[in-house]
Amino acid sequence: MAHALAAPPLGSDLRPVMGSAGIPYVGRSMQYIRDPLALWRQQERRYGQVSWDTMAGRRVVLVLGADGCEEILTNRDKAFSNALGWRPLIGPFFDNGLMLMDLGEHRHHRRLLQQAFTKDRLASYAAAMEPLIARTVQEWDSSEHFEIYPAVKSLTLGLATEVFMGGVRDGDTRLDAVNKAFVDCVQAATSIVRLDVPGGRWRRGLKGRRYLEDFLRDYLPDRRCGDGRDLFSVLAHLEDDDGERFSDDAIIDHMIFLLMAAHDTSTITISTMVDQLGRHPEWQEECRRQSLAAGPDVSAPDARAGLTAL
């Protein structure tokens, strides 16, 4: 049975947000974990593009469609909170990343971080990535049963540690553990039992976060003293107009969040893209045509600007 989240103000032309709580506490969490796209389609068919539901004991509002997403993401009236929305879900693992900040704090950190993403620096990152990507892809197995997801995950983690971190010391064998720590942090967000209990995803996420902090903190003094062009070094030297720099804790927080964004989300995006290209040969042919026309080096911004969306 559908229920309104709240009655609209008397005399307004607003419609109530309809939805249902589902199973007590659990709500529709299991459906979301199994197939979020199917859940969203089901909600839209039943209640429209704005509806409410329950996830892990929290009442949530689901907004679908381009107009609704634009309204929330632009947040012109400052009516929506990043921190209140994201912290219950991923806060213990990615807190103090830019996506979890609001208002003045968000503006201050964003202005500092923008210096790390100027056009010249982005071109520098891309130029460093290009040979690493080309070499790794050349080494991929071309057999029929090649698994793309683990290969891309290994590639993106290598790119993140080399280009964003400036590489690791010779003999440092922790990258596999770093990869596992990131996976544990991301998977912890889907925990039903959100407590630090033995054997649970939540505990593994907490341990993963501590491991990432220790790993990055070990490298931070070198980045403070050096003059590298990697993102880690850039963050260690950024200053605002008043000469204020990021604290050590802030650098660690931003690096964990940015490495997750560069590594995990890129893996998911690329894997999904490959899946869709396999399902749509005509898209595959168009991508091949544009790639051949662009030439072997697409690291320059001008070369990428010539590519068009399918």
Side-chain angles (χ1 to χ4, degrees), residues 89-303:
L89 184 66
I90 62 173
F93 321 108
F94 299 108
D95 207 3
N96 298 317
L98 193 63
M99 195 175 77
L100 284 79
M101 294 179 176
D102 289 316
L103 303 175
E105 181 186 39
H106 182 276
R107 184 165 53 253
H108 172 70
H109 282 254
R110 187 184 71 240
R111 285 176 176 171
L112 268 173
L113 283 170
Q114 281 175 338
Q115 299 177 47
F117 295 96
T118 62
K119 182 178 180 180
D120 289 343
R121 281 185 167 139
L122 288 173
S124 173
Y125 303 151
M129 291 166 62
E130 176 67 23
L132 295 173
I133 295 171
R135 184 172 66 246
T136 302
V137 172
Q138 286 287 337
E139 295 170 354
W140 280 357
D141 182 4
S142 58
S143 68
E144 183 178 344
H145 301 291
F146 177 66
E147 295 185 357
I148 191 69
Y149 180 83
V152 171
K153 194 165 185 61
S154 176
L155 169 61
T156 55
L157 179 62
L159 291 172
T161 53
E162 185 66 33
V163 178
F164 279 14
M165 255 200 70
V168 296
R169 305 182 191 102
D170 290 341
D172 192 334
T173 60
R174 291 177 288 178
L175 283 187
D176 285 344
V178 168
N179 189 19
K180 181 180 183 302
F182 272 116
V183 171
D184 288 343
C185 287
V186 172
Q187 289 185 344
T190 64
S191 300
I192 299 298
V193 179
R194 308 175 80 79
L195 298 171
D196 186 5
V197 295
R201 281 189 173 188
W202 198 257
R203 168 169 284 193
R204 291 198 296 271
L206 295 174
K207 289 177 63 177
R209 167 71 191 207
R210 290 193 293 269
Y211 190 90
L212 294 173
E213 288 179 357
D214 292 342
F215 176 75
L216 291 169
R217 207 174 294 278
D218 180 34
Y219 279 88
L220 183 54
D222 295 341
R223 300 303 184 264
R224 287 282 199 196
C225 298
D227 57 356
R229 296 176 60 83
D230 57 276
L231 179 64
F232 201 1
S233 297
V234 171
L235 293 184
H237 292 89
L238 291 179
E239 290 186 0
D240 63 16
D241 294 338
D242 298 322
E244 184 178 347
R245 291 188 174 190
F246 281 136
S247 66
D248 286 0
D249 287 344
I251 292 173
I252 300 299
D253 290 336
H254 284 304
M255 281 298 297
I256 289 175
F257 186 80
L258 290 169
L259 283 170
M260 183 274 292
H263 155 234
D264 193 76
T265 57
S266 296
T267 299
I268 294 169
T269 301
I270 293 170
S271 299
T272 302
M273 180 190 72
V274 171
D275 174 73
Q276 290 299 309
L277 289 175
R279 296 171 188 271
H280 300 276
E282 69 278 13
W283 297 356
Q284 195 175 142
E285 287 303 317
E286 177 61 16
C287 285
R288 182 178 289 111
R289 185 191 68 77
Q290 290 197 36
S291 177
L292 292 173
D297 184 4
V298 294
S299 61
D302 291 343

Side-chain angles (χ1 to χ4, degrees), residues 35-48 62 64:
D35 191 339
L37 188 58
L39 173 61
W40 296 337
R41 286 172 173 164
Q42 181 186 80
Q43 287 284 108
E44 183 175 20
R45 284 195 301 269
R46 287 182 177 177
Y47 308 118
L62 176 65
L64 302 171

